[in-house]
Structures are given as structure tokens and as C-alpha cells.
Amino acid sequence: MADHDSPGGGRARRPDPADRAQLRESPVSLRRVAALFAPYRLPLVALTVLIVAASTIGLASPFLLRLVIDEALPHQDITLLLWAVGGILAVTVVTAVLGVIQTLLSTTVGQRVMHTLRTDVFRHLQRQSLAFFTRTRGGEVQSRLINDVGGMQSVVTSTATAVASNVTTVVGTAVAMAVLSWRLSLLSVVVLPPAIWLTRRVALLRRDITTQRQRHLADLHGQVEEGLSVSGVLLGKTLGTGPLASAHFERSSHDLVGLEVRSQLAGRWRMATMNILFAAIPAVIYLAAGFPATSGGMTIGTLVAFTGLQAGLFRPLMSLLNVGVEVTSSMALFSRIFGYLDLPVEIDEPAAPVALDPREVVGEVRFEKVGFRYDAEGPDVLDDVSLVVAPGSTLALVGETGSGKTTLAALVARLHDPTAGRVSIDGIDVRDLELGTLARIVGVVSQESYLLHTTIRENLRYAKPEATDAEIERAARAAQIHELIAALPQGYDTVVGSRGHRFSGGEKQRIALARTLLRDPRVLVLDEATSALDNETERAVQAAIDVVARGRTVITIAHRLSTIREADQIAVLHRGRVAELGDHASLLRRGGRYARLDGTAATLAA
Ligand code: ADP
């Protein structure tokens, strides 16, 4: 019989308002969901057949039981008894095996669909612009991919198969009950609904209390963590709020007492209700069976079979009451995933790319009346910027924080697209180049050089998968980092990152420079580290940059005086506009903004 601890009632759910809101905002077309499953039509049909078969075969047991009680036992018919008991065993074994196959099919289909979605979402999100990732809250994208797509599995395996099997069980059982005794079936129709209603109410109540209790418990834990940590205690002591925190804690703890009691009682009540119902409903049936008017002259075997069937009806009926909620949450899941898949790709491949061999690029970079806004309604971050960087020359971008240096440099690598004007390389608009080609022409070394959590060798090879070890070493030498790597116990096989060797900022930047060297880009965009490096590191980084910059067009967001001095051109940005342009000497002579900046830098450097 149904186990009394979790007879379906424990899973009673209330709809999640967030799911509803999600669906209201972006409804999901069923056709689109169906299309995901279309390739698996065959296994899905097989799955349905299996579910129906398993539920139907399961119904044979009560009839066999009736045979045992009414025929085999009273008449001492051993042969019949053996057959009937064998049948009961066979039914259990067959339904169990069918269940295993059912799980295999549903999990396989679920996982395949999940795999497709996961891959699609990953690919699509990777194509999103940098702006998308700076806009989205950290971790949200990752959680979307892992949790929402992961939730798919339960949609297919639990929701869909549970609905199918519960519906067939309920229908089959109802028919079988009617066949056994239509009078008692009518009685069930009267008795069952209130019993199920009561069970569900109790289960929902208990769920609410449990949720409330968990929230309070988490709050209490938070208070302990906050109130008894070094910084929390320090804050409490300096603000004199210690007693207040204690009082607050006492109140929360006191509230929890009541909640815990209610929660325990609710659990107990739920069990009690279930036990009472599971005893009472058959009792009512036995009673009815005693009266000729309701029994219709039924045998004992029929009565036992009937009560057995009826008990088996409880659980599927209970879970069918959750179908609405489950469908809503599944659809909300799809809605969220589709939402990601439907995001427009802001920076995409050109429709008709201009063919260009990266090796033949000369490297002239032009900004032509470039304007940029992060936000359509926001302020101009760049406004009417026109600059020409001759092949092989260096342009240093200077200006106070927020003047637009980073943004301007990012336009060359198409990390953003200008909202006005254009950026060209050798006269070709960067938007007309294939993204892969552009990436081979323009190399970017940012301040925060990102290294993958793998060996140094793999980090370098990431830039050029076919690079030989000799090439890698040559690049590292040029970037002034070979000696350091070679001195490590594991050399180039040292693992980088939190669980490996921790490199300093300057070292990381040099590894990044080596990585860029391997790609041999004609145009280099550099973001010098703002944080002060010690003299020796600074010299090493500078030497590395000098080697890497040789013969390339370099656009550098400069902070170091030495870099700025030696640049062929210096563009002083102010509020997104080029305020001054020239080389160090001429700008100094002008005695304007640059001269003042230089004064500050000189003081800082001193
Ligand atoms: P700089 O490199 O000179 O410090 P940036 O190019 O980083 O300047 O920033 C220029 C302006 O654009 C600043 O006002 C900054 O607040 C704004 N900005 C930078 N990044 C974003 C972003 N992702 N979204 C919105 N505004 C941004």
C-alpha cells in the first residue's frame, strides 16, 4: 500500500509568483518547445506506450488478488493459487522493468535536449558584446546556463512522465473500480475529493510554515555571522549598538520557538491526517459493503481488490493537483532560456565581409568622427574623435579617469561599435572584417591580464594552438618572462591560478604580452597597469612592451611617463573629445592641459 510518510501530499506546491511574472512578460510558444523535442519523436512515442502499458498491467494485481480470495483459497485450488500468485509476482516484475526502461528513455531524451539547449545558449551568449556582460549582474549568466538549463531534465523526466503515468493510472483505476463495483465507486466519488482536499490543505499549510521557519533560521544564522564577526563586533562596539543587536537576536530567537513548535505540529498533523484517512476510507467502504443496498452482493475478494485499487488512487490524484504549478514553472524555465537565445547579437559578423589577409595589413588605424554612447539615452562617452595612427607608430591616450580612453581603444578591437563615425584599419571599416580576421590583426593586452587555470604553456598556446615549444619560448623571452618561468620547479608546466602558482600583476601582463606576440598582430592595443609596480618589475614590463611594440602600430592607454614621452603622438582626451594632440615636446610648449597633466605625473613619479 501507499507508504504513509510521503503519500504524494508532501509535494503539494504553490505557484511561484516569479514564474507567473516571467510568463506574463514573455510567453512561450508551445510550438517552439515541441520543436526541441521533435527529433526524439520515436523515443517519446515509445515512452508513452511504456507508461500506458505499465499502468494498465499494474491494474491486473487486484483482480488476481480477488481470484486468490474468492476462488483459490476457499476451494483449496492449488493450481489456480500458483497461477494467481505467479501472476501477481509477474506483474510486479514487469512493471518494475518497464519503469527502468521508462527512466532510461526519459532521461536520455531529457539530457539530449538539455545538451542542445546548453550548447546553444553558451554559443549565443559568447557572441554577445562585452557591454552585455558588463550590464548583466555577475554570476547571473552562469546561473542561467547551469540552473535553468539543468532544470530541463526535471521537466521532461518528472513533470511530463509523471503527468502521463498519473493520468493513465487514475483513468485505469477508475475503470477497474467501476468494473468491480459501480455502487462502491459512486461512494468513492463522494468520499475521495474531500479527503484529498483535506490532505492538500494540511500539506500546503505545513509547507508554508516550513518555509517561514527556514527564512527565520537563515535570518538567525545571518545575525550570528554578522554579530560575532570581527568587523561586525567592531562596528557594534564603535557605534555602541551591541545591546541593540542582542535584543534583536533575542526577538528572532524567540520567534523561532513558536515557529519550530508549529512546524513540528504541522508535520505531525499531516501524518495524522494521512493515517486517519487511510484507515477511515477503507472502513467506510467495509461498512457500505455490509449493507445490501450498497454492496450489491459483492464477494470478499472484490471488496479487498476494490479497497486496494482505491488506495492506489490517492497518490496520483494528489500529484495531478500540482500539474498546473509544474507546467507553469516548466514554461517559465523555457521562457527564461528562450529569452537568452533571443537576445540580439550586437556585435556580429558582417553580412558581406571584406577579404583581407592579416599578414598583408600595413596597420594604419583611423578614427573618423567617432562618437560613442553606452546607453542610447546616456551621455556621449566619445564625441567627434578623429585621429590617424600611421603604420608602425605609437599613439598614447592620456586624460583623467572617465575621459574615454578605454572606450576609444576598445573600438579598434570591436569590443564596442561606435554609435557615430567609423574606425578603420588600412582604410577598411573594422565592422566589414570577419571577427576572426580582426582578432588576428588587432592584439589587446589589458590591465587585468586574464590567465586561464591551466599550465603556462597552455595559456600561451591558447593564442596559437599550432605554436611549437620553441616558438612559445621565443615569445616568452621577448616578453622578458622566460627566465622567471624557467626558474619555476615545473617551468612551463606550472599551473596558473588560485590552485596553482600565483603570478603578480606585472608577471601576468608579461605572460599576456608573450601570448599576444605569438599571434603577431599588426595593431596592438595596450592598457598599461595603473597600479604602481616596483621599479624592477616596471623596467621588465617596459622592456617587454618595447620589444612587442617594435614594428607594430600601437595604441596605448598610457600611465607611465616614459611611455608617453616616447609616443609619436599623444592624444589628450577630455570628456570624450580630443582636447590636445601632438608629441611630448610640442604639447609641453603649448602649456595647456597636457603640460598640467605632465606636471602632476612628474610629481607623482618623483
Ligand atoms: P577612461 O578609460 O578614460 O577612464 P572609460 O572609457 O573607461 O574612461 O569611461 C568613459 C566613460 O564611460 C566614463 O564616464 C564611464 O563611467 C563610462 N563607462 C565606461 N564603461 C561603461 C559601461 N560599461 N557602461 C556605461 N558607462 C560606462
Side-chain angles (χ1 to χ4, degrees):
M1 210 115 309
D3 67 318
H4 286 218
D5 194 37
S6 60
R11 284 179 52 234
R13 291 179 58 187
R14 285 190 198 284
D16 184 346
D19 286 347
R20 289 208 170 150
Q22 171 75 31
L23 283 177
R24 223 175 303 123
E25 222 167 84
S26 37
V28 173
S29 94
L30 278 179
R31 180 177 292 184
R32 192 166 176 191
V33 176
L36 286 175
F37 292 91
Y40 309 101
R41 217 169 284 142
L42 215 64
L44 287 176
V45 169
L47 187 61
T48 318
V49 171
L50 272 183
I51 291 171
V52 174
S55 309
T56 321
I57 293 171
L59 291 175
S61 283
F63 288 90
L64 290 168
L65 185 62
R66 178 169 76 163
L67 208 60
V68 171
I69 295 174
D70 286 348
E71 307 289 336
L73 291 182
H75 303 137
Q76 300 273 317
D77 186 339
I78 300 298
T79 323
L80 185 62
L81 186 64
L82 282 176
W83 274 110
V85 170
I88 291 174
L89 285 178
V91 165
T92 335
V93 172
V94 169
T95 42
V97 171
L98 289 184
V100 171
I101 303 175
Q102 183 187 320
T103 305
L104 172 71
L105 280 177
S106 61
T107 315
T108 313
V109 173
Q111 288 293 336
R112 293 255 167 86
V113 172
M114 198 163 99
H115 161 72
T116 313
L117 270 183
R118 197 161 44 197
T119 320
D120 286 354
V121 172
F122 186 87
R123 196 170 292 143
H124 191 76
L125 286 182
Q126 255 209 336
R127 287 174 58 206
Q128 289 297 315
S129 67
L130 195 65
F132 166 81
F133 291 95
T134 49
R135 260 198 316 267
T136 341
R137 229 173 336 128
E140 195 184 316
V141 179
Q142 290 87 338
S143 120
R144 197 61 73 93
L145 187 63
I146 304 297
N147 296 338
D148 289 352
V149 181
M152 282 289 314
Q153 165 66 31
S154 77
V155 170
V156 187
T157 49
S158 315
T159 312
T161 54
V163 169
S165 93
N166 287 332
V167 168
T168 42
T169 309
V170 168
V171 172
T173 310
V175 170
M177 280 163 66
V179 168
L180 283 174
S181 161
W182 63 267
R183 290 162 204 261
L184 289 187
S185 300
L186 280 183
L187 182 66
S188 293
V189 171
V190 179
V191 176
L192 275 183
I196 285 175
W197 176 83
L198 182 68
T199 316
R200 189 172 164 80
R201 285 257 357 127
V202 175
L204 283 177
L205 258 171
R206 168 166 186 253
R207 197 184 170 85
D208 291 345
I209 295 175
T210 313
T211 317
Q212 226 179 330
R213 172 179 151 256
Q214 269 156 359
R215 206 173 310 131
H216 266 76
L217 212 56
D219 181 43
L220 204 70
H221 284 170
Q223 286 184 42
V224 170
E225 239 160 66
E226 229 166 57
L228 298 185
S229 70
V230 174
S231 14
V233 167
L234 193 65
L235 186 71
K237 284 196 192 305
T238 50
L239 292 182
T241 49
L244 219 64
S246 295
H248 184 193
F249 186 81
E250 188 181 345
R251 230 175 305 123
S252 300
S253 168
H254 185 262
D255 287 347
L256 202 57
V257 173
L259 268 176
E260 285 285 1
V261 172
R262 282 172 61 203
S263 159
Q264 289 295 329
L265 278 186
R268 202 60 233 179
W269 267 118
R270 195 178 128 255
M271 289 272 281
T273 322
M274 294 308 303
N275 288 344
I276 292 171
L277 284 176
F278 269 87
I281 295 175
V284 172
I285 300 289
Y286 299 146
L287 187 68
F291 292 98
T294 33
S295 90
M298 67 163 47
T299 62
I300 295 190
T302 307
L303 181 61
V304 172
F306 187 89
T307 38
L309 278 171
Q310 196 191 41
L313 204 53
F314 213 82
R315 193 204 272 267
L317 274 178
M318 284 296 293
S319 18
L320 281 180
L321 289 181
N322 282 332
V323 166
V325 178
E326 271 166 22
V327 168
T328 308
S329 69
S330 310
M331 284 299 151
L333 211 60
F334 279 114
S335 165
R336 280 194 289 265
I337 295 170
F338 289 160
Y340 261 3
L341 283 176
D342 292 343
L343 281 172
V345 175
E346 288 159 358
I347 294 183
D348 207 354
E349 296 283 357
V354 174
L356 182 67
D357 185 345
R359 282 164 304 186
E360 282 164 16
V361 170
V362 185
E364 185 205 52
V365 179
R366 272 174 190 269
F367 297 89
E368 297 168 26
K369 295 191 182 334
V370 167
F372 182 80
R373 289 177 176 183
Y374 279 99
D375 211 334
E377 281 100 58
D380 280 323
V381 168
L382 294 174
D383 183 19
D384 197 25
V385 174
S386 293
L387 292 166
V388 181
V389 194
S393 77
T394 300
L395 166 72
L397 299 174
V398 300
E400 62 257 35
T401 308
S403 55
K405 305 180 293 290
T406 313
T407 311
L408 186 66
L411 295 181
V412 184
R414 261 196 106 191
L415 297 176
H416 307 294
D417 276 342
T419 27
R422 61 176 219 147
V423 179
S424 67
I425 294 174
D426 287 7
I428 302 167
D429 191 323
V430 288
R431 285 170 291 196
D432 290 334
L433 291 170
E434 273 178 17
L435 292 174
T437 309
L438 184 64
R440 286 181 59 191
I441 298 171
V442 181
V444 178
V445 178
S446 54
Q447 238 183 73
E448 282 292 312
S449 302
Y450 187 66
L451 298 181
L452 304 169
H453 179 69
T454 173
T455 61
I456 298 175
R457 197 188 307 284
E458 287 313 309
N459 260 293
L460 293 176
R461 197 165 271 149
Y462 193 63
K464 186 180 179 188
E466 71 278 9
T468 61
D469 283 354
E471 259 179 285
I472 287 176
E473 201 181 302
R474 200 155 48 220
R477 264 183 212 285
Q480 320 284 313
I481 192 74
H482 168 75
E483 311 283 312
L484 193 131
I485 297 171
L488 293 171
Q490 274 142 346
Y492 281 84
D493 294 318
T494 305
V495 174
V496 179
S498 49
R499 277 167 288 151
H501 187 84
R502 280 191 189 253
F503 288 95
S504 74
E507 291 161 358
K508 272 205 250 180
Q509 203 168 28
R510 275 178 284 161
I511 296 179
L513 279 165
R515 189 164 63 184
T516 309
L517 260 184
L518 278 171
R519 291 183 71 86
D520 195 22
R522 293 297 309 140
V523 177
L524 195 61
V525 174
L526 276 175
D527 192 351
E528 281 186 351
T530 33
S531 49
L533 301 171
D534 61 76
N535 275 336
E536 200 175 327
T537 318
E538 162 126 21
R539 254 198 303 280
V541 171
Q542 192 54 53
I545 289 178
D546 288 345
V547 173
V548 176
R550 212 167 290 148
R552 297 174 213 277
T553 309
V554 180
I555 296 171
T556 168
I557 300 165
H559 297 289
R560 277 187 277 271
L561 209 54
S562 53
T563 324
I564 303 172
R565 272 203 188 124
E566 274 152 40
D568 299 300
Q569 286 187 96
I570 302 164
V572 183
L573 291 187
H574 180 63
R575 297 198 180 148
R577 303 182 69 107
V578 179
E580 289 171 18
L581 183 67
D583 64 8
H584 178 70
S586 72
L587 285 180
L588 269 192
R589 270 197 307 278
R590 234 177 103 152
R593 200 170 276 281
Y594 178 79
R596 288 196 296 277
L597 271 178
D598 186 59
T600 345
T603 347
L604 280 178

